[in-house]
Amino acid sequence: MTMKWRSRKGAVLLAVVTALAVPGTAAAEAGRTVQAGRTVQAGPLSLGRPASALKLKEWAQAQRAAERRRQAKPPAIRPLKGLRLTPPAKPAVPAPRKAADASALVLYDTAGPYGFLGELYGMATANLAGHFGTVSAKPVQQYTAGEVEQHTATIYVGSTYYGGSIPDAIPDAFYADVAGTAKPVVWMNDNIWTLAGKVGVPAFTRKYGWDPTRSSFEPVGNVTRVDYKNQPLTRTIPAGADGGILRPAITDPAAVTTLATAQDASTTPATAFPWAIRSANLTYLGEIPYAYTNETDRIIAWHDLLFDALAPDTPARHRAVLRLEDISPASDPAELMAVAQYLASQNIPYAFQVIPVYTDPKGVYNDGVPETITLAQRPQVVDALKYMAANGGRIVAHGYTHQYQDVQNPYTGVTGDDFEFFRAHIDANDSVILDGPVPEDSLAWASQRITTGKALYAPAGLPTPDIWTTPHYAGSALSYEAVKQSYGARLERSLYFAGQLSGGPIDGQRYIGQFFPYPVRDIGGATVLPENLGNYEPEPANNHAARLPADIVRAARYNLAVRDGFASTFYHPYFGTGPLTEIVTGIRDLGYTFVDPASIVP
């Protein structure tokens, strides 16, 4: 029996970059289930599995061990001579400033056995800051005196716990400038106690109203929720992988503003304590919120807190982006038209992604007979796409064939099922494991596929797209560069590799996946548009739970906490209009306005 093609991509798309700091994340992909002669996609979101090269559990264990040593024997820190703190009063009100006008300095750790994580977290931070203007990012040990004053705000990501066998790599000049500036400074996670010691603990507590030397990550507990702007954001960390959240010892509550609150469910009732605080010009986050994240995660709080540092005058605005996914010459034109006509009736602008060539090199869905179909061979599909383009749709390129050669990568080798610019396999636990760039990976190889695909739209009478989505959201650094040369923006989640920020060799086994709540200019200079809600998947499969319209709407509700954030989702037309109606209505009822993705390209 010939099976009707349906993409199986949903969970791979989500899980490849669901865990922001778990970029080798594995990601089980949507499974195929035969129902009434058709195949349907199933199963989306979970934490995925960290790549072994990231050693996230080892990092957490080392973090907890270092914290126990500090609590047992606090280090002697000599205050810097001649250091002058700015007065504890609030800094002067700055001139009005909005997104795209700011300059951010991002500093990160590279010392110690887990120093590679610092670059990954630095990239993630720099990418987000790229929404607000220019960004300078470098290892903290390269900081030179006075740089804080040259930027709108400074962000330090403390991922290396200094002490013991790892000497402090933070220059005294940075400690002194943080203490002396009136400009916004954000400090994440480790080494804030050293800042207090360098300043002098009494002077630090007088100015900031809390004592980092008496603050502790222990006990780690079980924080499963972070409350921010009345949204109960989730926090789901695998057993043994939690490095903890610093609980600040507040000495002067009047001087400290709690920005977000952690809920520790290991006690009865749950213990609430500050997750993020601000005093004077210093904002402190008790952890680095890039590990083990999903669409409803506490990362949402950080997405919004960046406005406080870099664009505090940004007014509230909530926009939505809808993307129709995995349309190819093998798609059913009737299904496409049904969805397109519904969206036209609702005046909903949207993106629709097109794979210009469908191929089934082994005949998996064609009774064993290899099959390749082009747009020119499917005029009814092309007519449906023309209708979309004329009635609110924005065409987006989605790879060339959305598969790799004639091998399972990881499933069938068929368009829509498999990765195109990355290798992957399924492990014994039925999870999809990312293996790294394809053997042919090069700028020339990727460019040839990308430009060949782009040349196929105009001959079919379709608009040539200027926006791209990488198949299964996974590409090498070189393939992303090739995309940038041909397309003005990417609409997707993306991978970023160790070595990309430092300019060193690219490590294909260590990378961070990231989704964005607003458009950004990333570290590669590319414009990346947001997709932060995931997609509809009615059935569980491959270690992923079903994801229903209510789940997508819930994620959109949590993202209302981002003052100028988006609710961006994608949907497969073969699911019909029923679930789509629920999603569109639910998002719109929250106050979001759907927009053409081209309108948000900076």
Side-chain angles (χ1 to χ4, degrees):
M1 177 181 70
T2 300
M3 299 181 70
K4 192 173 184 180
W5 174 80
R6 292 288 185 270
S7 165
R8 63 192 305 158
K9 87 184 300 171
V12 161
L13 272 175
L14 285 171
V16 163
V17 286
T18 288
L20 288 184
V22 189
T25 222
E29 137 143 340
R32 271 188 196 279
T33 308
V34 179
Q35 291 182 350
R38 57 186 266 155
T39 53
V40 300
Q41 182 181 358
L45 182 67
S46 82
L47 292 175
R49 280 177 45 185
S52 58
L54 292 177
K55 301 181 179 179
L56 291 181
K57 283 193 175 183
E58 292 181 21
W59 174 87
Q61 293 167 1
Q63 169 95 355
R64 295 194 299 268
E67 174 67 3
R68 288 192 293 270
R69 288 193 296 269
R70 181 176 73 91
Q71 294 299 323
K73 188 179 180 180
I77 302 171
R78 182 176 298 177
L80 297 174
K81 292 183 178 180
L83 182 63
R84 290 181 177 273
L85 275 71
T86 54
K90 294 182 178 179
V93 177
R97 188 173 63 248
K98 295 183 179 180
D101 296 333
S103 168
L105 175 61
V106 176
L107 302 170
Y108 55 91
D109 294 320
T110 57
Y114 310 103
F116 61 88
L117 288 172
E119 184 187 8
L120 298 180
Y121 297 144
M123 282 191 285
T125 305
N127 287 336
L128 289 169
H131 173 69
F132 299 91
T134 61
V135 183
S136 298
K138 63 182 182 179
V140 68
Q141 63 265 31
Q142 296 178 10
Y143 178 85
T144 58
E147 284 188 278
V148 162
E149 300 303 328
Q150 300 168 17
H151 298 274
T152 305
T154 297
I155 304 166
Y156 165 62
V157 185
S159 61
T160 296
Y161 199 122
Y162 294 119
S165 62
I166 308 176
D168 189 0
I170 301 175
D172 283 346
F174 182 58
Y175 289 123
D177 286 355
V178 169
T181 189
K183 291 196 171 184
V185 175
V186 180
W187 193 295
M188 288 186 192
N189 204 50
D190 288 339
N191 309 311
I192 187 71
W193 46 87
T194 307
L195 172 64
K198 295 283 186 175
V199 168
V201 174
F204 186 98
T205 56
R206 281 196 301 272
K207 178 177 179 179
Y208 298 110
W210 66 289
D211 183 356
T213 66
R214 293 195 294 112
S215 303
S216 174
F217 288 100
E218 297 290 348
V220 171
N222 184 27
V223 174
T224 57
R225 197 180 92 202
V226 173
D227 295 338
Y228 180 72
K229 288 188 173 180
N230 299 316
Q231 301 294 352
L233 308 178
T234 58
R235 182 179 185 269
T236 309
I237 310 295
D242 192 350
I245 303 171
L246 190 79
R247 306 184 185 204
I250 295 175
T251 57
D252 181 4
V256 178
T257 300
T258 296
L259 304 171
T261 303
Q263 300 289 342
D264 186 351
S266 66
T267 63
T268 304
T271 302
F273 64 92
W275 183 83
I277 58 175
R278 178 175 300 124
S279 47
N281 62 313
L282 179 66
T283 298
Y284 177 75
L285 274 64
E287 66 170 334
I288 301 170
Y290 294 123
Y292 306 106
T293 65
N294 59 40
E295 289 80 357
T296 59
D297 188 81
R298 84 279 198 207
I299 189 74
I300 292 171
W302 172 229
H303 290 160
D304 184 65
L305 288 171
L306 278 160
F307 283 94
D308 290 348
L310 293 166
D313 301 294
T314 302
R317 177 174 52 168
H318 301 295
R319 289 171 287 176
V321 173
L322 172 66
R323 187 178 92 226
L324 301 182
E325 184 79 10
D326 282 344
I327 300 170
S328 87
S331 295
D332 185 328
E335 293 175 343
L336 299 180
M337 285 299 298
V339 169
Q341 288 172 345
Y342 161 71
L343 292 173
S345 73
Q346 297 298 308
N347 295 314
I348 300 292
Y350 61 95
F352 62 96
Q353 290 183 178
V354 177
I355 309 161
V357 174
Y358 168 89
T359 186
D360 181 354
K362 294 186 177 181
V364 174
Y365 303 127
N366 194 41
D367 293 329
V369 179
E371 182 179 35
T372 295
I373 309 173
T374 65
L375 290 169
Q377 295 171 307
R378 289 293 187 270
Q380 289 181 310
V381 171
V382 172
D383 287 344
L385 300 182
K386 289 179 179 178
Y387 176 88
M388 289 179 171
N391 291 274
R394 172 74 57 178
I395 192 169
V396 173
H398 194 31
Y400 173 36
T401 62
H402 201 317
Q403 53 81 239
Y404 174 70
Q405 295 188 357
D406 61 353
V407 299
Q408 294 176 328
N409 190 39
Y411 284 98
T412 63
V414 179
T415 291
D417 283 1
D418 283 11
F419 294 85
E420 184 170 352
F421 296 94
F422 224 71
R423 290 306 310 269
H425 73 277
I426 304 170
D427 71 3
N429 296 316
D430 201 26
S431 293
V432 174
I433 306 299
L434 301 185
D435 299 320
V438 299
E440 303 92 334
D441 183 52
S442 68
L443 187 61
W445 177 84
S447 295
Q448 189 274 332
R449 295 191 68 83
I450 291 165
T451 56
T452 299
K454 189 172 186 178
L456 297 176
Y457 296 97
L462 295 171
T464 299
D466 194 43
I467 300 175
W468 164 280
T469 300
T470 305
H472 285 342
Y473 288 167
S476 69
L478 291 173
S479 62
Y480 288 134
E481 178 62 26
V483 171
K484 188 179 70 171
Q485 293 178 1
S486 290
Y487 290 92
R490 304 198 311 261
L491 173 54
E492 60 178 33
R493 307 178 181 197
S494 300
L495 301 180
Y496 298 92
F497 298 81
Q500 243 180 303
L501 190 57
S502 65
I506 303 297
D507 187 339
Q509 301 304 310
R510 287 175 171 164
Y511 40 88
I512 186 166
Q514 190 168 16
F515 58 78
F516 302 109
Y518 28 66
V520 306
R521 180 65 57 89
D522 74 6
I523 60 161
T527 295
V528 186
L529 307 182
E531 188 280 281
N532 58 337
L533 301 187
N535 69 307
Y536 169 74
E537 290 292 351
E539 298 180 11
N542 298 112
N543 305 311
H544 296 280
R547 189 166 175 80
L548 303 179
D551 298 309
I552 296 170
V553 174
R554 175 185 174 224
R557 184 173 71 251
Y558 287 7
N559 274 278
L560 288 171
V562 183
R563 68 199 69 180
D564 191 17
F566 283 75
S568 182
T569 185
F570 64 96
Y571 185 84
H572 293 82
Y574 51 72
F575 285 127
T577 58
L580 181 60
T581 300
E582 295 182 56
I583 293 167
V584 167
T585 301
I587 291 175
R588 197 158 50 181
D589 286 350
L590 290 171
Y592 287 95
T593 300
F594 282 92
V595 297
D596 177 348
S599 71
I600 64 173
V601 176

